Amino acid sequence: MDFSEAYKCSTSSSAGPGAPGALAPAYSPCGRLLAAAVEYRLVVREVESLKVVAIFSCLDKIHRLEWSPSGRHVLAALHSRGVVQVWAPDDPEWAAKIDEGPAGVRSARWTPDGLSLLLVADFCVRMTAWSLADRSCAHLGGPKHASRGVAFSPRGDQLAVLERKDCKDWLALYSTAAGWPLQARVALGTLDAADLAWSPDGAKLAVWDSPLAYRVAVHASDGAPLGTYAAYDDGLGVRSVVWAPGSDLLAVGSYDQVLRVLNGVTWAPLLECHHGSPVEEPRSVAVYQELEEPARGVLAPVQVQGGAPPKRETRARYAVAPLPVELTSVAPAAGKPNPKLGVCAAAWSPGSGLLASVNENMPHAVWVWDVGAAALAAVLVHLAPVRGLAWAPRGESLAIVTGGGRVYVWSAEGASVVHIPLAGFAATGLAWSPDGSNFLLSDAEAFCVAYVAPS
C-alpha cells in the first residue's frame, strides 16, 4: 500500500464511525477527481497524481460540498451567508450562485438528475428545488429535519420527506418530475420520527422513531405500510438502521447493544448479534488484538488510558488472542442526554454476506458478523476508539481508522496494521474510491490518499 503526501483541507465532525462529515473531501462519481474545501476555497485534484485541476474561491467559509451525480459540477454551501455556489471543474468559466436571502440555507443537496439543487431553509420553514437548466424554482413544504429525513429514491424518481404537522409525523412522497407533484402523504404511528432510508432497489422505505420509542416501520414506494418491528417498549430504542445491498435484509442497531437483522418479508429478526464481554463463542471466532511495540523492541499489550491514540513513534501489529477475551467497556455518563451506548454504526459488505458493527460503550472494538452462518466471524480490538470504518466497494475488505497514524485492514484471510508514513497525521475519516483502487484518509486539517496494490 502506497500513500500520497498530506494536503490541507477543512473538515467537519462525522455523525459516527460509519458516517463521513458533511465537509469531508469527496471523490467524484467516476473516481477520477477529488474535491476538498480549504476554508473559503474549493480545490479539485486528480486522484492518481493529486495534481490541482481547479481552484475556486467562494464568498465565505464552506460548510458542505457535494458532487453532482453526473460528476460535472460541485456545490459549495455557505450556511453563514445563506448562499450556495456551484462550480464546474471542467469549465472554470462556468459558475452559478443561489442566494436564499433572509430564509437562509440549512441544508443543500443535488437532485438525482444533477440539474437541480434541493435547499432547506433555516428552521426548516420551507424546501426549495432550484433548476440550473432553466433557473426556475419549486417550493415544497417544510421538512421535519434539515439533513435527516429527506432522501431521494435510488431510481431517482421519488423524494421522501418526513414532516411534522398537527402534532403528528407524516411521510410525504414527491415525484421528481416537472413541478414536483405530491404523490402521497401518509400518517406515521411514530412518537417522534428520527430518519428514513430507501432500500437499494427503491421498492421499500424504512422509517424509525427517536430513541425514546422503539419502532421501525417499512413502507412501499407508494406509501403503503408493509410492516413494523419493535424489539421492546421499556427502554431506549433504535440507534442505527442500514439496508443490505440486496434489499432483502434490514439491520437495526439498538441501545440494548444488540444488532438485529430483519427478514425483508416478515420483518421479524433472522439474526440477533449480541455485543457482550467476554467474547467466548463461537469457538471459531478470531479475536485480533492490537499490540504495540515499545522502544525496547518487545511486543506487549498496552493499556488504553482516556481513549488517547497510541504515540506515533511506536509500531503495532495484530495478534490473535485465545478465547475468552474481555473487552473494555465504558459506562455512559450519568445524567447526560444521548448516552454513548449501543450499536452506533453498522455497515454491510457489498455482497451482503458480512456485517460490521461498533458498540459505542465498547468503542475500541469492531465486530464482524457472518450473516449466512448466523455467527460472529471476527472481533478487532484496538488501542483507541474506532473513528471510521468502510467496506471496499468490491470484495470483502474492511478498512478502519482510530484517530491515529495507522489504518487497519481486515478480510477473511486475516488482518493487518498499516502505518501511515506522515508525521503527525491522525486519521479520523475514511472513504473508498468508487472503483476500490484507493481510499481517502482525513484528519482535522489534512487528507491523504492510500493506493491499494491490485490483487
Side-chain angles (χ1 to χ4, degrees), residues 193-225:
D195 206 349
L196 54 77
W198 286 95
S199 61
D201 63 3
K204 299 178 287 291
L205 188 66
V207 180
W208 57 98
D209 221 324
S210 73
L212 298 180
Y214 199 120
R215 180 183 174 88
V216 179
V218 182
H219 293 259
S221 59
D222 62 357

Side-chain angles (χ1 to χ4, degrees), residues 3 67 246 268 283 318-319 324 332 356:
F3 291 84
W67 285 93
R283 302 304 298 177
Y318 277 131

Side-chain angles (χ1 to χ4, degrees), residues 3 9 49 54 86 119 121 132 244 251 266 282 314 342 351 357 420 435:
F3 291 84
C9 71
S49 64
V86 184
L119 309 185
L132 299 180
T266 64
T314 59
S357 59
I420 303 171
D435 63 2

Side-chain angles (χ1 to χ4, degrees), residues 389-411:
L389 58 85
W391 291 96
R394 299 172 185 171
E396 294 183 338
S397 295
L398 179 68
I400 304 164
V401 292
T402 63
R406 301 163 189 165
V407 181
Y408 309 87
V409 181
W410 178 91
S411 68

Side-chain angles (χ1 to χ4, degrees), residues 257 328-334 339-341 360-363:
Q257 305 179 57
T328 302
S329 181
V330 180
K340 292 186 176 182
L341 177 71
E360 195 166 20
N361 54 298
M362 296 178 181

Side-chain angles (χ1 to χ4, degrees), residues 152-172:
F152 288 99
S153 66
R155 295 190 292 255
D157 59 341
Q158 287 182 290
L159 170 66
V161 182
L162 287 179
E163 298 179 346
R164 185 76 175 180
K165 298 180 185 298
D166 301 324
C167 299
K168 292 170 59 177
D169 288 324
W170 297 81
L171 171 64

